[in-house]
């Protein structure tokens, strides 16, 4: 029979049957694009093309004004420089991009040595922007960082002023902090420097790694008059350096 000659039909197993994926729709019932064409933001949060353009036109002047007002014109700050660099080295490096107005090296307060940070001021803001090409430039084994110098706010100026304020004299204090000393300054040099005061002892800060001076010391005086005369010599020059003299924070007693 014809019916017997026909092969029996079998139903596909429901687990093996290929399921048709329903197209994804957004919350308005509109089909979404395929995965390859999916937008990078959630549908419904995008502005229309004319809205994006209008927003950009409105935000551009504000952003430009904010950026222009947040940086000091013509000034950049560079960090990560080798401590052996001199002002002449830095002027030669940045002077390639245009005339310089000033170069200010940041130094360690105790030793007065260059700390690898410098503020460079160009005569034009355009040259300052060009010098940003030095960001990541390798000097020796170090990669320097160069960026625009931000404007100093009133709060930052206040904190800086508070940090730079000399400590007040504590009761019974007979010691002074003496900083920004040359590496080769000796006790004999300091006694000659404070010759108008009676010195009890001098305690140099020693670098444990090198065994050399760290560029500052504490001087104990025999009486209060000697201490006052010494503090009055703050910023006096010793071996070509302005010496920092202030009341010691912790009195040895």
């Amino acid at each position: 029979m014809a019916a017997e000659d026909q092969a029996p039909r079998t139903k596909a197993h429901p687990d093996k049957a290929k399921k048709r994926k329903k197209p994804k729709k957004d919350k308005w019932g509109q089909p979404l694009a395929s995965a390859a064409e999916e937008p990078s933001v959630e549908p419904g949060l995008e502005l229309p093309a004319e809205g994006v353009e209008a927003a950009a036109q409105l935000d551009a002047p504000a952003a430009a004004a904010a950026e222009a007002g947040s940086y000091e014109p013509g000034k950049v700050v560079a960090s990560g420089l080798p401590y052996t660099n001199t002002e002449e080295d830095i002027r030669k490096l940045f002077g390639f991009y245009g005339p310089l107005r000033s170069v200010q090296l940041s130094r360690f307060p105790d030793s007065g040595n260059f700390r690898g940070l410098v503020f460079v001021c160009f005569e034009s803001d355009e040259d300052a922007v060009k010098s940003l090409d030095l960001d990541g430039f390798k000097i020796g084994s170090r990669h320097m960082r160069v960026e625009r110098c931000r404007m100093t706010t009133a709060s930052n100026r206040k904190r800086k002023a508070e940090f730079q304020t000399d400590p007040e004299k504590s009761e019974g204090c007979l010691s002074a902090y003496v900083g920004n000393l040359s590496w080769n300054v000796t006790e004999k040099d300091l006694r000659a420097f404070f010759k108008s005061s009676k010195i009890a002892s001098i305690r140099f800060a020693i670098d444990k790694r090198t065994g050399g001076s760290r560029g500052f010391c504490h001087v104990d005086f025999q009486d209060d008059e000697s201490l006052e005369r010494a503090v009055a010599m703050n910023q006096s020059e010793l071996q070509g350096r302005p010496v920092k003299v202030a009341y010691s924070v912790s009195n040895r007693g």
Side-chain angles (χ1 to χ4, degrees):
M1 295 177 60
E4 295 176 356
D5 296 333
Q6 291 179 349
R9 295 180 180 181
T10 58
K11 289 185 178 181
H13 193 279
D15 294 338
K16 295 182 180 179
K18 186 176 181 180
K19 297 180 181 179
R20 291 186 60 186
K21 293 183 178 179
K22 293 183 180 179
K24 295 182 179 180
K25 297 182 179 181
D26 59 20
K27 58 185 178 181
W28 293 282
Q30 297 298 321
L32 295 177
S34 62
E37 300 174 350
E38 283 187 2
S40 57
V41 295
E42 181 182 345
L45 296 182
E46 295 180 86
L47 288 171
E50 60 273 14
V52 174
E53 184 177 355
Q57 291 176 352
L58 289 173
D59 292 343
E67 182 176 352
S70 61
Y71 298 110
E72 292 193 35
K75 194 171 185 179
V76 298
V77 55
S79 57
L81 282 79
Y83 295 163
T84 54
N85 276 175
T86 64
E87 182 175 337
E88 183 180 357
D89 296 332
I90 296 168
R91 283 185 175 275
K92 184 177 180 180
L93 180 63
F94 282 89
F96 173 81
Y97 295 92
L100 305 180
R101 186 178 301 167
S102 65
V103 174
Q104 181 184 358
L105 277 67
S106 179
R107 301 181 180 277
F108 289 109
D110 297 335
S111 64
N113 293 329
F114 179 47
R115 63 189 301 174
L117 177 73
V118 63
F119 297 91
V120 181
C121 190
F122 289 83
E123 292 187 1
S124 76
D125 192 61
E126 183 180 356
D127 292 337
V129 174
K130 290 179 181 177
S131 73
L132 298 179
D133 289 342
L134 287 171
D135 187 34
F137 184 74
K138 188 175 183 180
I139 304 181
S141 60
R142 307 187 71 174
H143 291 272
M144 65 186 296
R145 179 174 176 81
V146 183
E147 54 190 329
R148 298 292 300 273
C149 187
R150 294 189 177 276
M151 295 286 287
T152 304
T153 62
S155 59
N156 287 340
R157 284 195 296 268
K158 182 179 179 181
R159 285 195 296 269
K160 186 176 180 181
E162 290 174 350
F163 178 77
Q164 292 178 342
T165 302
D166 290 337
E168 296 182 359
K169 183 181 180 181
S170 59
E171 186 178 355
C173 176
L174 290 177
S175 297
Y177 164 88
V178 183
N180 197 29
L181 298 173
S182 297
W183 301 113
N184 56 353
V185 167
T186 65
E187 181 173 337
K188 183 178 179 180
D189 296 328
L190 285 173
R191 288 187 178 275
F193 182 70
F194 294 118
K195 59 183 178 182
S196 61
S197 299
K198 298 177 182 178
I199 297 176
S201 63
I202 298 176
R203 296 169 282 132
F204 281 96
I206 303 300
D207 189 318
K208 294 180 180 179
R209 183 175 59 85
T210 64
S213 170
R214 291 176 58 190
F216 70 97
C217 69
H218 288 84
V219 181
D220 300 322
F221 295 92
Q222 295 183 14
D223 50 58
D224 188 69
E225 291 181 359
S226 295
L227 172 63
E228 294 300 331
R229 280 194 290 267
V231 172
M233 294 180 66
N234 182 39
Q235 299 303 315
S236 296
E237 192 173 297
L238 174 61
Q239 295 188 3
R241 289 173 176 262
V243 176
K244 174 70 175 179
V245 185
Y247 297 117
S248 180
V249 175
S250 58
N251 184 28
R252 189 179 181 185

